[in-house]
Amino acid sequence: MAVRALYSSASGMAANSFNLDIIANNLANSSTTAYKQSRANFEDIFYENFKLPGVQDNQGNITPTGIALGIGTRVQSTEGDFEQGSILPSNGTYDLAIVGDGFFRVNDGTQDLYTRAGNFSLNANGNLVMASADKGYQLQPTISIPQDAINVTISGDGVVSYQQQGSTQIQTAGNLQIARFINNQGLLRQGDNLFLETTGSGPSQFGDPGTEGRGQLRQGFLEQSNVEPVRELVELIKTQRNFELNSQVVQAADQTLQTVANLRRF
């Protein structure tokens, strides 16, 4: 019946419309620091089986195939692509890029959150914080830089050093640590370049940069978004065509039903 085609194509239009939203979000964040692009996975919904494969015919022979009809598609999941973005120089003293796996841990006063956006700054107390105009996210563990500090350096393994005015002695402010998760896909996106740990991601595993698979730090660099505009545009064209094709099926099914409705005139 053409009614099935109507519902199948409607599900295809809904799924492709959802995919269009994901592509739009990826392209909108192509300049967002350390943004990780998303993609939608689809699955077929359900099948109505008119004849099962493998039944015996009246001669006792096993049939090799059956008859089944699906009723459309739906979004199975959304999946983040955590591949490394490009590392570009920023020349900021407190700009940090993670080269490899791992996340910075920050705290908003109530809970820990995780980010790969290393555009940090100092707050009024001299603590390293995310450079956010909306909320104070303090880097964990806390790193404090004295007001008269000069020549602040952060090594690849996270050691924060500085000199004080009038002194040649090198002081250590602390050690930066980064977190890894057994399943990055289980992290919950929070916006503001932040992720939240969930049961699906597993607990965070902290350690020094460069150890146990964690990436190393690069001072004065920032990780760029890993969105590839050309690939997104190709995906955009494909999604648009899929939507159009599904709309064509709706029109074809409608014309079929119209023909059936007009049979009484013949």
Side-chain angles (χ1 to χ4, degrees):
M1 290 283 295
V3 174
R4 290 194 187 95
L6 279 175
Y7 281 98
S8 293
S9 53
S11 70
M13 292 172 72
N16 281 286
S17 177
F18 187 88
N19 196 35
L20 187 64
D21 292 339
I22 290 179
I23 294 169
N25 187 54
N26 284 339
L27 288 172
N29 284 286
S30 58
S31 297
T32 300
T33 304
Y35 173 77
K36 300 303 175 191
Q37 65 182 352
S38 298
R39 76 162 191 261
N41 298 319
F42 299 95
E43 63 182 4
D44 44 1
I45 297 176
F46 179 74
Y47 283 85
E48 189 174 353
N49 289 292
F50 300 96
K51 278 189 178 180
L52 294 173
V55 297
Q56 289 186 342
D57 62 14
N58 55 9
Q59 301 297 319
N61 299 318
I62 304 296
T63 58
T65 61
I67 301 175
L69 179 63
I71 57 170
T73 185
R74 65 185 172 192
V75 177
Q76 180 191 50
S77 64
T78 57
E79 197 169 334
D81 178 359
F82 286 86
E83 287 294 316
Q84 178 90 54
S86 301
I87 305 295
L88 296 181
S90 64
N91 298 321
T93 301
Y94 302 109
D95 286 344
L96 296 171
I98 299 175
V99 183
D101 192 19
F103 296 83
F104 298 107
R105 183 179 67 171
V106 296
N107 190 283
D108 65 355
T110 59
Q111 62 182 347
D112 287 338
L113 296 137
Y114 301 88
T115 182
R116 285 183 64 90
N119 52 324
F120 295 109
S121 182
L122 293 181
N123 64 10
N125 299 320
N127 298 327
L128 268 179
V129 295
M130 279 187 69
S132 170
D134 295 324
K135 197 167 186 177
Y137 296 101
Q138 187 162 307
L139 184 66
Q140 303 294 317
T142 302
I143 301 290
S144 298
I145 307 294
Q147 191 172 8
D148 60 348
I150 58 172
N151 298 328
V152 178
T153 60
I154 302 172
S155 66
D157 56 0
V159 179
V160 184
S161 306
Y162 64 90
Q163 289 178 289
Q164 289 183 295
Q165 289 281 1
S167 172
T168 57
Q169 188 175 358
I170 296 176
Q171 309 279 343
T172 300
N175 287 61
L176 284 171
Q177 291 192 316
I178 57 177
R180 293 188 72 201
F181 295 90
I182 193 168
N183 176 31
N184 289 342
Q185 301 295 341
L187 292 169
L188 187 63
R189 292 177 186 259
Q190 298 291 291
D192 297 337
N193 291 338
L194 295 168
F195 296 90
L196 186 64
E197 173 186 316
T198 71
T199 305
S201 66
S204 58
Q205 300 167 7
F206 281 94
D208 295 330
T211 63
E212 298 175 336
R214 298 177 187 85
Q216 290 206 325
L217 301 181
R218 290 289 180 271
Q219 184 184 17
F221 290 82
L222 286 176
E223 182 182 1
Q224 307 301 299
S225 168
N226 68 350
V227 173
E228 297 179 20
V230 173
R231 193 172 75 176
E232 294 296 327
L233 288 174
V234 171
E235 189 68 23
L236 177 64
I237 293 169
K238 190 178 77 172
T239 301
Q240 185 178 9
R241 293 293 178 247
N242 286 342
F243 194 93
E244 289 175 359
L245 288 170
N246 277 283
S247 69
Q248 293 291 320
V249 173
V250 170
Q251 292 179 20
D254 179 54
Q255 289 171 359
T256 302
L257 289 171
Q258 190 176 20
T259 301
V260 173
N262 290 334
L263 283 177
R264 63 185 176 84
R265 297 180 182 175
F266 297 112

